[in-house]
Amino acid sequence: MKKLFLLAALTLGGLIALEDTSSAHGGTYRGPGDTVPPGGGGGGGGGGPATPGPAGPAAPGPGGPNTPGPAGPAAPGAAPAAPKAPTTGGGTDTGPDLTVWQFWWGFNRDPYLNLKSKIHDAGSLTGSDDFFLGHGQKTHSKDSLKPSEETIRQQIVPALKEAMDGETNNDIVTACLIALAKIGDATDEEGDSEFEALIRGRLNDAVQEVRETAAVALGILANPASIDLLEQLATDAPEGRRVTGDEAGINYRTRAFATFGLGLIGNRTEDPEVRKRLVTTIHGILEDREDHPTRDIRVAALISLGLVPIEPMQIPVKPESELEKGEEPYVIGTDPARSREDQIRYLINYFESTKKHYLIKAHVPRALARLLIGAPEELRIDAAEAILVSAGKRAKGQKELRQSAVLALGQIGDLDDDKIDQDIRQALYDSMGDADLQVKNFSTIAIAQLAGNPTEGDTEKGLEEIRKHLMTTLSRGKSRVKPWAALAIGVMEEKRDSLGQPMSSDVLSALRTAFKKEGSPADAGAYAIAVGICKDQESKSVLIEKLDKFTDDEARGHMTIGLGLMNANDAIEPIQEIVAKSKYRAALLKSAATSLGLLGDKQVVPQLIDMLRNEGRSLATQAAIASALGFIGDTRSVDPLVEMLKSDDLTDKARAFAAVALGIVADKEDLPWNSKISVDINYRANTTSLTSPEGTGILDIL
């Protein structure tokens, strides 16, 4: 089941808007359609963008982009209006403004919220004696609310299996498939997995949506026993065709989803031989000349390659004098499964190739940034130099390449005085003046992220320059860039704090002052998230003041999340009141409940359960409550969600929401599985199998 496609979800800072629904697989929505060249379907995998129109049980965050000419349905009447792009000379509306900060936050928020780990932390619960001793100090409570293995195996799993048994409704089937995959199961002595067989059995479903969901669910399950089949699916091999029943050829979407599945398994396995095998398969997909995989499949392969780092880091190459007779010299980068160096150099060559489609190449920089973690300095320099060609004053290539380049440089660079890092910082400063507004905005975030990357060199000068640059942008920049500067400051100071480095009181003061003056509800949300991320306690009064001042749900939702992020426990009571009064305002209900979860409020789960049983009769309210219960992950939410899933009185969609929520509650991972893909992605270089207005991409699955 897919996320709701309301742009209101994004303008709520990635929180869910549930005013209207339509079906889609697995769970939730991360963002809007976009403007990439046409070519949906098998031709190019582009797909046409749009403002999200709802789809299925949802959860936070944006999704991405698609075909030229930003178009698409407007959000339904009850939802907050979507930000609009500037009008053309003819006065016609060009659609949603895809450069707004809410899109970035929706894709990247998961590590900042990290709600499940906070809820499962026994020490982070209010209601215990001396909950907060001040500035985040906590006492220990004896009662962790993480669902026990017994609860998961004896209550949640049987309910999901029973709901799926003989079920034909797509929403329920796909929601249960994803939920079981996220939970995972123990194998028997022969290594056989009950869930693997259950999911595999849906690969020949008559509905394409179910088939592709089953393919990626095998990846989420992460059982190595699925590798053979996923390889057959991804490469359109005979056994894959037999299993799916696609005699004429496996649908390109199923192949793309299977390719993502291979990357997900590779990311979780610790077996170096399995990783090499998977990289070999993924490399074959990228280099296949006869099959002509669509853009969707190649993009899935590039992203997946970045998820599966190979060891050893480097392998010596024989000099020509030592080659045996007839032995060909090995060219580094021709076999990415040989070593991490080969992976990195293969991707550098791919990015520099003039024969590759630019929208496919746009996903190379992020894959490189992931693989460079822990790599030798020489590889970091070579990768950075290749990417720098697409950033800075003399940047070459289409805007999507420039966007991807600056995002990756924020992950690769640091603050020391090495020439390559000086060049990276200068390129990011220059790119903040790029003609493309999205490049400007991404550069603002990237330079802030760079400031928090670890380094052993002298950082004082570089850090001072970045802080000064961001404060200048915050105070004197154009109105459309200021929210990004605010958000960037929050990101920067939080990363500095995570390194054990002091945050700048001057920078936080400037952020606080600008926040006080900001009167735009949409822009104020960026400031709210920023001060929340860096836990600026002195901004708490500003957040509470604006929570009372603003009347629209979008702005109030952002204020509650900011308060939750900064552990403002004295805001619990007013936020509880918002929850109590928001039974017909689903988006605000969801954001306020999430905030209470962040604050460790013990009362929010019983409150939501009571609302679900007594007041949650509308689909929007049911969805909001079920989703909030899932994200909070409290074991006390299990019984009412199971009851909801089994109910004959609820609609199929409402029951599917319950299945989605149960999967979140019992997830084997703290962060959503697709955050591995969404964080730092260039969502402007989208394919429909990544995310789409209809909610049919893997980033649209909760």
Side-chain angles (χ1 to χ4, degrees), residues 333-354:
T334 55
D335 178 10
R338 190 170 183 266
S339 69
R340 182 95 64 87
E341 179 182 6
D342 283 276
Q343 278 185 291
I344 291 169
R345 296 203 180 279
Y346 170 77
L347 286 172
I348 291 173
N349 292 338
Y350 198 101
F351 189 68
E352 292 179 334
S353 171
T354 58

Side-chain angles (χ1 to χ4, degrees), residues 34 180 212 255 282 292 300 331 359 409 426 435 437 465 485:
D34 192 273
L180 289 171
E212 63 194 46
R255 294 182 61 192
I282 293 167
H292 303 296
V331 179
L359 285 173
L409 291 174
Q426 187 59 55
L437 182 56
E465 288 177 352

Side-chain angles (χ1 to χ4, degrees), residues 118 120-126 128 131 138-141 143-144:
K118 292 183 174 71
H120 290 174
D121 175 6
S124 63
L125 301 171
T126 57
S128 303
F131 168 53
K138 299 175 286 188
T139 60
H140 244 340
S141 167
D143 53 338
S144 171

Side-chain angles (χ1 to χ4, degrees), residues 5 16 43 61 76 116 136 145 172 192 211 230 288 315 335 342 369-370 442 510 513 534 700:
F5 271 80
I16 311 174
K116 189 176 290 292
L145 294 181
I172 295 175
D192 294 331
R211 293 199 299 273
L230 285 173
D288 192 338
I315 295 178
D335 178 10
D342 283 276
R370 291 185 66 105
F442 282 167
T513 299
C534 56
D700 305 320

Side-chain angles (χ1 to χ4, degrees), residues 80 101 239 262 318 322 378 430 493 514 517 596 598 697:
W101 65 270
E239 176 62 15
L262 291 171
K318 286 183 182 181
E322 296 181 13
E378 64 186 80
D430 292 342
E493 297 303 330
K517 295 178 180 178
L596 291 176
L598 289 167

Side-chain angles (χ1 to χ4, degrees), residues 3 14 26 28 30 59-61 106-117 178 182 220 264 267-268 307 366 370 630-631 660 663-665 667-679 698-702:
K3 294 181 185 176
T28 175
R30 287 185 181 274
F107 281 104
N108 292 274
R109 75 190 182 287
D110 289 327
Y112 295 102
L113 293 177
N114 200 6
L115 183 57
K116 189 176 290 292
S117 67
I178 295 296
K182 287 192 291 189
I220 300 168
L264 292 169
N267 186 257
R268 283 185 63 84
L307 294 176
R366 179 176 174 274
R370 291 185 66 105
F631 273 97
V660 169
I664 302 171
V665 170
D667 199 335
K668 59 185 176 287
E669 301 184 63
D670 281 343
L671 296 179
W673 63 271
N674 47 14
S675 65
K676 301 180 186 73
I677 298 169
S678 68
V679 171
I698 59 127
L699 294 183
D700 305 320
I701 299 175
L702 184 63

